[in-house]
Amino acid sequence: MDKPRRWSVVPRHEAAGELGARLKVSPLIAQILLNRGVSDPEECYRFLQPNLKSLHDPGLMPGMPVAAGRIARAIRDGEPTVVYGDYDVDGITGTAILWHAIRILGGEVTCYTPHRLDEGYGLNPEAIAQICGQGAKVIVTVDCGITAVEPAKVAKAAGVDLVVTDHHDLPRQADGTAGELPDCFAIVHPRLPRAGEGEGEAYPNPHLCGSGVAFKLAWALGQAMAGGGRVSGEFREFLIDAMSLAALGTIADVVPLLGENRILTHFGLRGICQSKMLGIKALLESTDSTKKVDAYKVGFVLAPRLNACGRMGHANLAVEMLTSADADKALEIAKYLNTRNRERQTLERRIVAEAVAQVTELGLDGEEHRAIVVGAKGWHAGVNGIVASRLVDRFYRPAVVVSLDEENGQGSGRSVAGFHLASALSAMGEFLEGSGGHEMAAGLRLRAEQFEPFREAFLAHAAEHIAPELLVPTLRLDVAAELGQITRGLVDEFEKLGPFGQGNPKPLFGCLDVELAGAPNRCGQSGDHLQLKVRQGAVMLKCIAFGMGDMAEKLRGGMRIDVAAEPSLNHYNGSTTVQLEVKDLRVR
């Protein structure tokens, strides 16, 4: 990130020592739990040792019993069912979960994945009409459909039962009141109020992602086919395996890794390398990930390959890999996804460079602007969201990137904490053909001639609604630690706080007023990284600072510095030592 970061160290909790002693963990770990809002000892135990018994009953989700009952009837009666899933990782993995579930239970099922560029996000009436015309009796959506009012009418007119499963924001009218929901057989949504209860979610986990909802529907379907209560032994084994798919979707969709999401992700990651699913095996083999998979590997290795298929071509190949492909075909597709991901990376680098140049040329990086809107002909719409993320990383302000042709534009945006991007785009309705998304990520469509008016209006809206302090990136340090406290035992305890991600970020330790023991060394093929040692009293630790090689000339031995770092283990030449992975440092 180019902008300097403000450091914020969480004050020490007085109860950390007592809680740590009760849990038999370091006071630093107890401090981090308290920072996460986890203070009750029993809740702390559940956090450190996730348990499948803590998963919520799927029947608690409004619409779930009706949806599961209808799909179960389709299975028993041999009615063709189509799973219509979104083209991102969340939709792909959720589609695979339901496909496998219906097949295992004896149903007739196929999948439909819309083309990202040709059809766009969500259900479209033409696709629904086509599916109905091909003989489907039930259509089940995954990760989309909550606003599909017109497509639902098409299904209903054709006599086809539409079951919507989604987790995106419920539709709202301009005055903030509830908008129109699709008229369909059932809607399954974790934030849907229970019938007759008005506002407020009925399900305990409102942050379930699309693949998480699909997993819960699969579970409820297994119960329905078993006559209620426990699922069969075979289906239970499938559900445990399917958690790996749910974990991929949960991490990739950047929902909070807390509560039920944390449990699904914990067990999904733990079992992914032993998965029986041929598609998962192929994906792991093609990325040399067969020994250990953590949230980082999902976010930066596995998920980008699944996403690349939809961004650069058609996501139905990724769906095929995770569903119907045999071992050879699955590996062939997985290797193809690697190729597409490399193409995506090359394309992304070019468009990021052009977007940064446009930001500079237009002066959008100046203090008078509190958002970025860039667009150009020839930009591939499939990477707009990634490019927007790179712009936010660099300039730390909301960014919207639009791919234009002669008539239309398709865009994606990313935001900063405190600015609801989807709501901001809703306020731009007079310039847009459509928009939707979340607080931190959203998409839009517009006519090409409306791009400049939209840019002007969005920048004005941002200037009015974004306080200057929101545009100062803050580095949140969970705890101030002495070097002597960072031991092998602490690192082992530290790992129990994972999986890390949205809502449960990897904790940062502040090692303040330490001595730089000797001059740092640049490392890496291009000298991009930095090796250094820090000392505090009699304790010395090695540090690695990725991407901070340029700081070498500014540092010299004997300096007093502050280090923001994550403790980790360094495995080298058969020995294991504790080290600090530096995320930021400053000279005192």
Side-chain angles (χ1 to χ4, degrees), residues 320-520:
E320 181 184 354
M321 180 185 71
L322 293 175
T323 56
S324 60
D326 61 22
D328 291 339
K329 182 64 173 179
L331 186 57
E332 178 187 334
I333 294 174
K335 291 178 178 178
Y336 174 74
L337 297 187
N338 286 342
T339 301
R340 298 300 268 175
N341 190 53
R342 287 192 292 270
E343 294 173 0
R344 187 270 306 169
Q345 290 170 327
T346 300
L347 185 66
E348 174 196 328
R349 284 192 291 269
R350 175 180 67 81
I351 297 177
V352 166
E354 293 175 6
V356 169
Q358 191 175 137
V359 169
T360 304
E361 180 182 343
L362 296 174
L364 298 178
D365 54 342
E367 292 186 3
E368 68 274 20
H369 293 296
R370 297 182 185 174
I372 290 169
V373 179
V374 291
K377 293 179 180 178
W379 285 0
H380 195 294
V383 298
N384 282 344
I386 304 174
V387 175
S389 293
R390 299 291 180 264
L391 295 180
V392 174
D393 288 343
R394 178 156 185 165
F395 300 106
Y396 206 74
R397 61 195 68 188
V400 177
V401 178
V402 181
S403 301
L404 296 164
D405 59 28
E406 295 299 328
E407 296 182 353
N408 300 299
Q410 184 173 334
S412 293
R414 298 294 183 267
S415 193
V416 298
F419 182 68
H420 199 297
L421 184 58
S423 295
L425 291 178
S426 293
M428 302 288 107
E430 63 181 294
F431 307 104
L432 304 179
E433 296 293 298
S435 68
H438 304 287
E439 179 177 356
M440 300 299 289
L444 62 92
R445 290 177 291 106
L446 48 66
R447 300 287 297 173
E449 64 268 18
Q450 290 292 338
F451 174 70
E452 289 298 342
F454 162 71
R455 172 154 55 192
E456 183 178 343
F458 188 84
L459 294 179
H461 180 89
E464 182 179 352
H465 291 87
I466 299 179
E469 55 267 23
L470 291 182
L471 304 183
V472 179
T474 299
L475 195 67
R476 184 181 186 272
L477 306 183
D478 282 81
V479 63
E482 302 291 323
L483 294 186
Q485 294 177 287
I486 302 175
T487 63
R488 173 68 183 270
L490 177 76
V491 177
D492 290 340
E493 293 175 354
F494 182 83
E495 292 301 318
K496 292 181 181 179
L497 296 169
F500 300 113
Q502 182 72 19
N504 185 40
K506 209 166 190 178
L508 278 178
F509 286 29
C511 300
L512 310 178
D513 195 18
V514 297
E515 179 186 353
L516 184 58

Side-chain angles (χ1 to χ4, degrees), residues 69-405:
R70 179 62 186 94
I71 301 169
R73 175 155 58 90
I75 293 173
R76 294 191 186 100
D77 295 346
E79 296 179 307
T81 298
V82 175
V83 180
Y84 187 119
D86 189 28
Y87 42 66
D88 67 359
V89 177
D90 197 18
I92 291 168
T93 53
T95 296
I97 289 171
L98 288 180
W99 184 89
H100 282 287
I102 294 171
R103 292 268 296 189
I104 289 170
L105 294 169
E108 180 185 341
V109 59
T110 55
C111 303
Y112 185 91
T113 307
H115 190 283
R116 187 185 197 108
L117 301 184
D118 294 345
E119 298 178 77
Y121 169 76
L123 276 67
N124 65 81
E126 294 79 11
I128 294 299
Q130 175 187 327
I131 293 169
C132 294
Q134 292 172 344
K137 296 301 181 184
V138 179
I139 301 173
V140 185
T141 77
V142 174
D143 196 35
C144 59
I146 195 62
T147 61
V149 174
E150 292 306 315
K153 291 178 181 177
V154 174
K156 191 161 190 175
V160 174
D161 290 333
L162 176 66
V163 174
V164 168
T165 82
D166 203 349
H167 75 113
H168 291 94
D169 288 350
L170 297 171
R172 292 280 175 184
Q173 298 188 63
D175 61 2
T177 58
E180 183 180 3
L181 293 172
D183 180 12
C184 54
F185 192 89
I187 299 177
V188 181
H189 193 295
R191 281 178 280 155
L192 198 66
R194 197 180 302 278
E197 293 187 5
E199 294 292 329
E201 301 92 3
Y203 189 68
N205 176 20
H207 303 297
L208 206 60
C209 70
S211 61
V213 175
F215 176 84
K216 285 310 191 71
L217 177 55
W219 183 356
L221 182 57
Q223 290 176 326
M225 291 297 291
R230 290 181 178 274
V231 301
S232 68
E234 177 191 8
F235 201 76
R236 184 179 186 279
E237 289 184 12
F238 157 71
L239 288 175
I240 291 174
D241 205 359
M243 283 187 201
S244 297
L245 291 169
L248 291 175
T250 299
I251 295 168
D253 218 51
V254 201
V255 293
L257 294 184
L258 298 170
E260 185 174 52
N261 290 346
R262 174 179 167 77
I263 296 170
L264 287 172
T265 304
H266 171 85
F267 286 99
L269 293 179
R270 194 172 76 170
I272 193 170
C273 292
Q274 291 77 46
S275 176
K276 298 175 183 176
M277 295 184 182
L278 299 179
I280 288 182
K281 286 183 176 181
L283 183 63
L284 298 183
E285 182 180 341
S286 70
T287 54
D288 194 25
S289 306
T290 56
K291 292 183 179 179
K292 182 183 178 182
V293 174
D294 57 13
Y296 179 87
K297 179 152 278 190
V298 170
F300 292 91
V301 178
L302 303 181
R305 282 156 174 79
L306 292 173
N307 260 331
C309 195
R311 293 184 189 280
M312 305 298 294
H314 202 306
N316 57 8
L317 268 180
V319 172
E320 181 184 354
M321 180 185 71
L322 293 175
T323 56
S324 60
D326 61 22
D328 291 339
K329 182 64 173 179
L331 186 57
E332 178 187 334
I333 294 174
K335 291 178 178 178
Y336 174 74
L337 297 187
N338 286 342
T339 301
R340 298 300 268 175
N341 190 53
R342 287 192 292 270
E343 294 173 0
R344 187 270 306 169
Q345 290 170 327
T346 300
L347 185 66
E348 174 196 328
R349 284 192 291 269
R350 175 180 67 81
I351 297 177
V352 166
E354 293 175 6
V356 169
Q358 191 175 137
V359 169
T360 304
E361 180 182 343
L362 296 174
L364 298 178
D365 54 342
E367 292 186 3
E368 68 274 20
H369 293 296
R370 297 182 185 174
I372 290 169
V373 179
V374 291
K377 293 179 180 178
W379 285 0
H380 195 294
V383 298
N384 282 344
I386 304 174
V387 175
S389 293
R390 299 291 180 264
L391 295 180
V392 174
D393 288 343
R394 178 156 185 165
F395 300 106
Y396 206 74
R397 61 195 68 188
V400 177
V401 178
V402 181
S403 301
L404 296 164
D405 59 28

